[in-house]
């Protein structure tokens, strides 16, 4: 479920948080779904359980998961995560679009690239 990148300079707990966020955005994890226990995920990733606990605590603080003592951690608010990720993506898109404009790339060329990307994934227009 989670694969860490040893070449990533970010702390391991941040990578874990991002991976769970990605799984929520992709629809792999939905509201009410349980997360692996701290010990289970730590053993699976061969890392210290305190690192997993830190990631879970951060996710709980952000309102992504809910910790129920004795029962585990569960996904709470997928809409919040998806909306936040959408905002991040649109912000990055605006920056890239400005760079493209400054670099002399036309709107037609940009549209062509966007359509090509959506069609290669079989998404079409939405």
């Amino acid at each position: 479920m989670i694969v860490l990148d040893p070449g990533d300079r970010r702390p391991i707990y941040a990578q874990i948080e991002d991976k769970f966020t990605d799984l929520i955005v992709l629809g792999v994890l939905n509201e009410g779904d349980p997360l692996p226990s701290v010990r289970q995920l730590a053993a699976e990733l061969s890392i210290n359980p305190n690192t997993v606990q830190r990631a879970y605590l951060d996710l709980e603080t952000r309102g992504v998961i809910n910790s129920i003592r004795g029962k585990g951690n569960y996904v709470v608010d997928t809409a919040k995560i998806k909306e936040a990720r959408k905002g991040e993506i649109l912000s990055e898109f605006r920056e890239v679009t400005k760079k493209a404009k400054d670099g002399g790339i036309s709107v037609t060329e940009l549209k062509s690239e966007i359509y090509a990307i959506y069609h290669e994934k079989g998404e079409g227009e939405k």
Side-chain angles (χ1 to χ4, degrees):
M1 179 184 254
I2 301 277
V3 178
L4 299 175
D5 179 4
D8 193 332
R9 292 179 178 234
R10 294 174 302 145
I12 293 172
Y13 71 86
Q15 290 184 50
I16 293 170
E17 290 175 44
D18 285 348
K19 298 293 183 180
F20 277 120
T21 301
D22 289 344
L23 292 172
I24 291 169
V25 170
L26 294 170
V28 175
L29 288 174
N30 297 300
E31 289 183 30
D33 286 350
L35 271 56
S37 72
V38 170
R39 290 177 197 230
Q40 179 186 357
L41 187 58
E44 196 177 296
L45 299 174
S46 300
I47 60 173
N48 189 310
N50 291 331
T51 303
V52 176
Q53 185 61 41
R54 166 89 187 260
Y56 281 10
L57 183 60
D58 287 354
L59 288 168
E60 185 175 19
T61 301
R62 290 177 28 213
V64 176
I65 66 171
N66 186 24
S67 178
I68 301 172
R69 174 165 260 172
K71 296 208 180 229
N73 297 288
Y74 297 86
V75 177
V76 180
D77 193 355
T78 59
K80 182 178 180 180
I81 290 297
K82 289 178 181 180
E83 201 55 39
R85 179 61 59 92
K86 183 178 175 180
E88 291 169 12
I89 292 168
L90 288 174
S91 177
E92 290 174 24
F93 181 74
R94 285 183 195 100
E95 287 179 35
V96 170
T97 302
K98 287 177 185 175
K99 286 180 184 178
K101 179 182 174 187
D102 293 343
I105 298 173
S106 71
V107 172
T108 305
E109 289 174 293
L110 282 175
K111 285 181 182 179
S112 176
E113 287 297 316
I114 292 169
Y115 288 133
I117 290 167
Y118 271 86
H119 289 297
E120 82 184 20
K121 288 187 175 186
E123 303 252 341
E125 287 187 52
K126 288 188 177 183

